[in-house]
Every structure is written in structure tokens, then in C-alpha cells.
Amino acid sequence: MTTCEWPTTPLYQDYHDYEWGRPIHDDQHQFEHLCLESLQCGLSWLTILNKRNIIRACFDHFDIDAVAAYGESDIERIMQTEGMLKHRPKIEAIINNAAAFKRIQSEFGSFCNYIWGFTNHKTIIYENHPEGHFPTKNGLSTRISKDLKQRGFKFVGPVTIYSHLQASGLINDHGKDCPCFKEINKTADIVRLPVDDEA
């Protein structure tokens, strides 16, 4: 049997059961996930989940237009918020990324059109992943990371992007015996592919 054993708290379990791996086709939700993944660099995901409501409040619940318009006073406000992660470069990166996100929306019609275009608008199931053999990054996440960086994004390395692809349902990395694996496959347009330059 291969089930997802990483949820170790009720909060983690809820995230696993109702969010992680479920295809996201909404730009604001995509933006939130991308921001949370970039904040997570060097930290545990459980830390991010525990602070999620604080983070949401700091960034206007990830209203893309609002965040893109932030200035120095907003950075100071966020830095002084009790319980918030005090990492100025990551805070600045989120503001920067909101503006870059808007440029992608203008070019492609939506960020979802852009990022799902890398998978031909399908949820990928890679060979051996349902058995629990998945990497920290792969060829797909490296290609997307490179393109995002060229478009001005920050804190979007291949490992961060691979996590984003898992979380937002472009890749289904639930274990084959996890109920979520089957639920997602029933409703998503899936494609099974060989591994892609994994590391």
C-alpha cells in the first residue's frame, strides 16, 4: 500500500484532504499558493499552515491588484505584524511577483492559462510517483522556474515550483492507495507520463 503519511497534525490532514493536489483553475488561488510556497523556502510547510491566516491578513487575502500596489509602508506594516514571518526579501518578492503575475495575466488572459499550458491543461501522473517515488524537482519545474525568473519572478526555484505544481494539482503526487488520488483522477483531465529529469 502507498498512502500519504506526511500529514502529522489535524491542520496538516485537512490541507492534505481538501487542498493539496486538487487542480486550481482560479488565479487568486494560484497566487496564494505560489506566495505561500515562496515563503516556505527554508521552513517547514506546517509553519506556513500555522501562520496562514496571519499571512493572508498581511497580504489582503492575496488580492493581486492590491499586493502589486504595495509600497514601503506596507512592507513595514507586514514586518511589524505579530506572528508574521520577518523575512523582508520574501515579503518584497511577493510584492514584486504580484506585478509580474499581472503581466502574465495581460499576456495570456490569466495566470492559469499560462501555467496549465505547460502541461497541455492536464494533470500529470508520473511513472512510479503513485508508489511514493517522487522528487524534489524535475524537468517541468525547472522549465517553469526558468521562464518565471525571466519574467521577473523571485523565490521561484525549481524545488519551490515543483511543490507548487503538486499543491495546485498540475501533478498528482498522492499515493496510489490514498483516497485523494482516486478522487482527483475522477474529475481531472489526467495524463500519465514517464519521469522527467528528476532530482
Side-chain angles (χ1 to χ4, degrees):
M1 287 182 67
T2 304
T3 59
C4 299
E5 298 177 349
W6 49 265
T8 54
T9 70
L11 182 63
Y12 227 166
Q13 191 69 54
D14 281 349
Y15 173 71
H16 165 273
D17 291 351
Y18 302 111
E19 283 192 77
W20 193 76
R22 298 189 182 269
I24 295 173
H25 297 285
D26 170 81
D27 273 14
Q28 187 170 348
H29 200 180
Q30 281 277 354
F31 181 61
E32 175 174 354
H33 271 265
L34 192 60
C35 291
L36 294 177
E37 295 292 351
S38 66
L39 282 172
Q40 187 268 334
C41 291
L43 302 170
S44 73
W45 186 245
L46 190 55
T47 296
I48 299 300
L49 289 180
N50 284 329
K51 292 180 177 290
R52 192 174 189 178
N53 287 336
I54 296 172
I55 297 167
R56 280 174 167 163
C58 281
F59 290 100
D60 282 294
H61 294 268
F62 297 101
D63 181 302
I64 301 157
D65 291 334
V67 175
Y70 281 4
E72 182 61 31
S73 63
D74 295 290
I75 296 172
E76 290 301 322
R77 168 181 56 79
I78 293 167
M79 289 287 292
Q80 293 171 15
T81 299
E82 185 176 355
M84 180 56 185
L85 300 168
K86 313 295 186 184
H87 194 291
R88 187 182 180 96
K90 289 181 179 179
I91 293 167
E92 292 174 340
I94 287 176
I95 298 167
N96 169 84
N97 291 353
F101 197 99
K102 288 184 66 176
R103 292 194 293 270
I104 285 180
Q105 289 178 315
S106 294
E107 181 178 348
F108 291 88
S110 71
F111 185 84
C112 287
N113 285 340
Y114 161 78
I115 198 163
W116 281 96
F118 283 93
T119 69
N120 196 26
H121 300 272
K122 297 180 185 296
T123 293
I124 298 171
I125 300 172
Y126 285 111
E127 184 179 0
N128 295 328
H129 286 208
E131 285 70 44
H133 305 289
F134 48 81
T136 58
K137 63 180 179 179
N138 73 346
L140 176 62
S141 73
T142 299
R143 290 190 296 275
I144 296 174
S145 170
K146 182 179 179 180
D147 194 71
L148 287 171
K149 288 177 181 178
Q150 289 175 342
R151 294 174 181 277
F153 283 76
K154 298 177 180 178
F155 283 92
V156 289
V159 174
T160 295
I161 294 304
Y162 190 83
S163 294
H164 179 71
L165 298 177
Q166 290 176 303
S168 55
L170 283 88
I171 298 171
N172 185 355
D173 268 348
H174 283 280
K176 64 182 177 67
D177 294 316
C178 174
C180 296
F181 181 74
K182 300 177 181 64
E183 288 175 18
I184 291 167
N185 292 343
K186 283 179 182 177
T187 56
D189 189 2
I190 64 170
V191 60
R192 296 180 182 270
L193 296 177
V195 294
D196 178 5
D197 194 21
E198 296 188 345

